[in-house]
Amino acid sequence: MTVCAIDVTTTATTAPFAIAADGSYAARLAGEGDARYAERWTLAGEGEAYAVPLPLSQPEEPDSEVLALADGRVLIHRRVAERHAFALLYPTGAAAGPRTGELQLGSVAAEEGLRVRLLPPCPDGLGAFALAVGDTGTAVWQVAGGAFAEVARVPGRCSGGVWLDRAGRMLALDRELEGAVKAVAVDLGRGGEVSPLLQITEASEDRLLLADPDSGLLLIRSDAPGEPRLGWGVLGSTRPVRFPECLRLEEEATPFAVQPGQALMPETCGVALRVGEAGLALWRPADRHVFRLGAPAGWLGGTGLWTPEGRLHLPYATPQAPCGVLGMNLPAAPPPPVRLDPPPAAPAATRPVPLQQAPL
């Protein structure tokens, strides 16, 4: 992917932007007001990133959700009358007729109090799932990449959504049940079997924000230290969750991207955080140091993607550059402070021994 170097500011847009699991494509709702339409970005390839609009005969609602798949199609979730409808959009390339093809997938009934939203892209790149949260239970629906069907039902109200493996089988959700919020693992390969994932203390709220399947690095938010704080741990490790002091920033920080490919080395993974409304920070667990950087002008929704080599790509859109990607590396951490020990004390002067007392 070719990236563009631009001036950086601390201004970000709020447009939703979703990057495919393999980083090949991305999607967002473009346009303004009543003239919204889906837009697909091509990120991988020989040239620079470029965008393809996917308009239909009617504009999209501002609350529609989009998700890019690895095959170049864009999944869209719309609220249509009394149902939540899902469809795939793709460019037709025809010289005449509609420029956008549409394949209807299925729908979920819009019951009273039911909230439906898309989950992050499935790691396999082709599957897509949605979360339907009711008053007492949460359903996980597969909406693309297989049969359109409910694949799991979890007691309690769930939020979040983090994939724990590369196969798209293990899904972590933050479940609110009996007044407590704990992250649980849902095995979609075993009918939605639920098992505990995080429980730092019995009374704490423990949420999983991000995970890297290669290294096992977990980014966590918990109030176990006495206030909500960012921490990190390792999946399957017996070591406790750590809450670095350097992550206690004045503004709320939310991790949005983790460097992949660092097998069995979670401390070396680069982590990108969105700070406040538009700030950017980079961090690595081994360094214990946070770098505050300027985000690109027109940064899209606080999103980005790490490469295994440690380069972070940030998408942006401005009137002058409607489709651009800024690349940056994680700066080298400053060396640890040098500890200067005081010089050793001079030995006390020895008293001369009288000759008659000297040893033979």
Side-chain angles (χ1 to χ4, degrees):
M1 174 166 58
T2 302
V3 298
C4 309
I6 60 168
D7 293 334
V8 294
T9 68
T10 56
T11 302
T13 69
T14 58
F17 192 84
I19 304 174
D22 63 352
S24 55
Y25 295 96
R28 68 164 181 152
L29 277 183
E32 297 180 355
D34 296 331
R36 302 281 184 138
Y37 57 90
E39 185 179 73
R40 187 194 71 184
W41 288 32
T42 299
L43 302 178
E46 297 296 331
E48 297 181 356
Y50 64 92
V52 175
L54 298 173
L56 293 170
S57 57
Q58 292 185 344
E60 304 292 349
E61 295 293 331
D63 59 351
S64 297
E65 294 182 291
V66 292
L67 199 68
L69 304 183
D71 62 4
R73 295 182 294 178
V74 173
L75 174 70
I76 187 165
H77 162 221
R78 308 180 180 102
R79 174 68 183 267
V80 180
E82 298 302 321
R83 57 195 176 94
H84 294 269
F86 298 85
L88 289 174
L89 307 179
Y90 52 93
T92 61
R99 292 181 297 167
T100 304
E102 183 175 13
L103 175 63
Q104 300 293 334
L105 298 173
S107 62
V108 177
E111 303 172 3
E112 184 178 356
L114 188 71
R115 294 185 294 111
V116 179
R117 65 174 180 84
L118 291 175
L119 286 168
C122 186
D124 66 7
L126 299 177
F129 294 81
L131 211 60
V133 185
D135 293 333
T136 59
T138 301
V140 180
W141 285 78
Q142 182 164 7
V143 296
F148 190 97
E150 180 182 312
V151 294
R153 182 163 287 272
V154 181
R157 297 175 59 85
C158 294
S159 58
V162 176
W163 295 102
L164 299 175
D165 63 346
R166 291 293 180 194
R169 173 175 171 172
M170 300 300 298
L171 174 67
L173 297 172
D174 300 327
R175 179 174 69 170
E176 180 183 353
L177 186 65
E178 298 177 354
V181 178
K182 303 289 183 184
V184 297
V186 182
D187 189 342
L188 301 183
R190 302 186 64 176
E193 181 178 282
V194 180
S195 57
L197 181 62
L198 286 178
Q199 183 166 321
I200 301 177
T201 69
E202 186 174 346
S204 60
E205 288 195 357
D206 308 318
R207 303 175 184 269
L208 181 63
L209 305 180
L210 216 55
D212 174 56
D214 297 332
S215 64
L217 178 64
L218 304 178
L219 281 304
I220 296 158
R221 192 184 306 279
S222 173
D223 59 4
E227 59 179 350
R229 287 183 56 181
L230 278 180
W232 70 280
V234 181
L235 186 64
S237 172
T238 58
R239 299 186 64 182
V241 174
R242 277 148 281 186
F243 297 92
E245 194 67 23
C246 64
L247 293 181
R248 296 185 70 176
L249 305 177
E250 295 181 0
E251 299 175 275
E252 182 176 347
T254 303
F256 63 86
V258 178
Q259 180 184 355
Q262 309 301 299
L264 305 179
M265 297 188 297
E267 294 88 353
T268 65
C269 292
V271 179
L273 305 104
R274 180 175 181 172
V275 182
E277 290 297 322
L280 174 67
L282 304 183
W283 169 74
R284 185 188 289 118
D287 293 340
R288 301 181 184 180
H289 182 82
V290 172
F291 294 92
R292 296 292 299 268
L293 305 172
W299 184 26
L300 292 174
T303 56
L305 184 74
W306 284 98
T307 67
E309 296 74 27
R311 191 160 179 81
L312 177 65
H313 298 295
L314 300 175
Y316 65 90
T318 65
Q320 297 76 24
C323 177
V325 179
L326 172 69
M328 62 174 61
N329 294 322
L330 181 65
V338 178
R339 180 178 178 181
L340 298 177
D341 295 323
T350 57
R351 183 176 60 87
V353 179
L355 184 60
Q356 63 269 28
Q357 298 178 16
L360 297 177

